[in-house]
Amino acid sequence: MVALSATAASCNSPYSHSQLMSLFSQRQGLKPLQKPLQLRKVDLPLRNVLWSALNDIYLRHISEDDGSPVYPTLTVRAKNVRALFVEIWCEYFKHPSDTVPRNLGIDEIRQYFFECAWNELFDLLEFVAKESAQNSAEFTKLCNFRLEQENSAYRFVGKEILEITSKAEVEEIQLAASSGIHGVEKHIATALGLLADRKNPDYRNCIKEAISAVETVCRSFAGGSTLSDALKTLKRRVEIHPAFERSLNALYGYTSDQDGIRHSLLEEKNISFSDAKFMLVTCSAFVNYLIGKAAESGIKLKT
């Protein structure tokens, strides 16, 4: 197998369209064009390419030195990578710091990577993304390329892995999460964390945070204390299609009326992952739309 470089996710890479290319057996109908969706599992080919991503972005830089025991000529990148694997040894595996092997426990990490449960594999990938001092965005981008290639149901959104299969959904959330408006970014990041928590997901508050992101972007250039107030002011400055305005008001009403999410948070409600994900994606799209409308109209937003 050819080891793919970190540029594999680039649109200019010769590998970037490999998941779309059909081979002889597929064209003859002897093999399926696409493998079944990988939900709550990670097969060996996916583990292989995710390990290659970890290797390409981090591992291959560990030994950028002159071979001496104290590594006096390590590059900054190599030092950061070595520090990352010490963190994995001490903080992820909870081993004592005085037991870090000379090879930084790479053999143990590799064995764990290929033998652990699917969810533990994603735990490790998230840990790497969150703890790495550099190249985190490059790593998550390459992982997403591989997850999509192997038809996984999961993607990195920021530094969290979520059950999201659509590239468009990922892009909407990521765009809102980097909007440049502090309140919006904070609400979206919090919503992501609540949705991505596999042990104790909080779908109710995920939706609340997503809605709050919409309210925040409206207040950033339209004023008012609620989304409805903001929309009234907004209409005087930015053209909004009536159907879209009704959708925004309906969205706000869903969370504020007597049967909504914000009414009696202690009341039992059947809110699922799909509900929370839909609202997060939808609210992110609303945020991006409103920011775009402001930019088109020359309105400077409060960040």
Side-chain angles (χ1 to χ4, degrees):
M1 178 182 292
V2 177
L4 302 183
S5 71
T7 60
S10 168
C11 60
N12 296 321
S13 167
Y15 303 106
S16 62
H17 302 294
S18 61
Q19 76 272 38
L20 304 177
M21 179 177 62
S22 63
L23 299 178
F24 174 80
S25 296
Q26 293 170 321
R27 294 195 304 273
Q28 296 298 312
L30 301 174
K31 288 185 178 180
L33 288 173
Q34 187 179 53
K35 65 169 63 178
L37 185 68
Q38 296 198 56
L39 178 64
R40 297 185 176 275
K41 67 178 182 178
V42 176
D43 66 9
L44 182 57
L46 179 53
R47 286 181 192 261
N48 285 339
V49 294
L50 289 174
W51 178 260
S52 293
L54 188 64
N55 177 73
D56 289 346
I57 303 300
Y58 298 110
L59 282 173
R60 69 188 181 90
H61 298 283
I62 282 180
S63 58
E64 293 177 348
D65 60 79
D66 66 353
S68 64
V70 292
Y71 304 106
T73 61
L74 280 176
T75 64
V76 172
R77 179 163 182 162
K79 289 178 181 178
N80 287 335
V81 173
R82 292 182 65 83
L84 170 63
F85 278 80
V86 171
E87 285 290 304
I88 294 174
W89 182 264
C90 297
E91 299 300 328
Y92 185 82
F93 289 110
K94 304 299 182 183
H95 294 320
S97 59
D98 60 353
T99 65
V100 178
R102 286 185 59 82
N103 75 340
L104 304 175
I106 293 172
D107 292 341
E108 181 175 331
I109 294 170
R110 193 182 196 282
Q111 181 178 358
Y112 175 84
F113 195 95
F114 283 95
E115 295 179 356
C116 67
W118 68 272
N119 55 296
E120 293 173 329
L121 174 61
F122 287 152
D123 287 341
L124 178 57
L125 293 176
E126 275 193 357
F127 184 88
V128 169
K130 293 176 180 179
E131 294 297 323
S132 57
Q134 63 185 71
N135 304 108
S136 178
E138 187 181 7
F139 175 65
T140 57
K141 181 179 180 181
L142 183 52
C143 284
N144 276 351
F145 172 79
R146 293 312 194 184
L147 290 164
E148 180 180 0
Q149 180 186 44
E150 296 299 323
N151 207 26
S152 173
Y154 305 92
R155 300 288 188 275
F156 267 108
V157 182
K159 297 182 180 181
E160 310 273 2
I161 295 178
L162 297 181
E163 186 182 313
I164 296 181
T165 59
S166 167
K167 183 178 180 180
E169 291 177 342
V170 173
E171 289 176 346
E172 286 291 352
I173 298 172
Q174 288 180 329
L175 185 60
S178 58
S179 65
I181 301 174
H182 176 71
V184 171
E185 293 181 350
K186 183 177 180 180
H187 286 304
I188 295 295
T190 302
L192 272 172
L194 294 169
L195 184 64
D197 189 334
R198 288 182 286 276
K199 292 183 178 179
N200 297 295
D202 189 341
Y203 302 139
R204 184 189 314 279
N205 283 313
C206 171
I207 293 175
K208 282 184 58 184
E209 292 293 336
I211 289 291
S212 294
V214 177
E215 292 178 324
T216 299
V217 73
C218 285
R219 287 197 298 268
S220 70
F221 66 90
S225 59
T226 68
L227 177 60
S228 297
D229 292 338
L231 284 174
K232 292 176 184 178
T233 304
L234 182 62
K235 284 179 60 180
R236 295 195 293 266
R237 305 181 65 182
V238 180
E239 182 180 355
I240 298 179
H241 193 281
F244 187 76
E245 182 187 359
R246 289 194 296 270
S247 297
L248 283 172
N249 279 313
L251 178 68
Y252 180 74
Y254 172 66
T255 66
S256 61
D257 66 18
Q258 63 178 357
D259 296 318
I261 302 298
R262 290 178 183 169
H263 175 71
S264 184
L265 292 179
L266 298 179
E267 182 181 347
E268 184 68 24
K269 303 289 288 188
N270 294 321
I271 304 172
S272 70
F273 172 86
S274 296
D275 297 327
K277 186 187 79 169
F278 171 80
M279 292 298 289
L280 176 56
V281 174
T282 301
C283 289
S284 296
F286 282 163
V287 164
N288 298 332
Y289 173 86
L290 292 171
I291 291 175
K293 293 296 289 185
E296 291 171 3
S297 304
I299 299 175
K300 186 176 182 180
L301 303 182
K302 298 178 181 179
T303 58

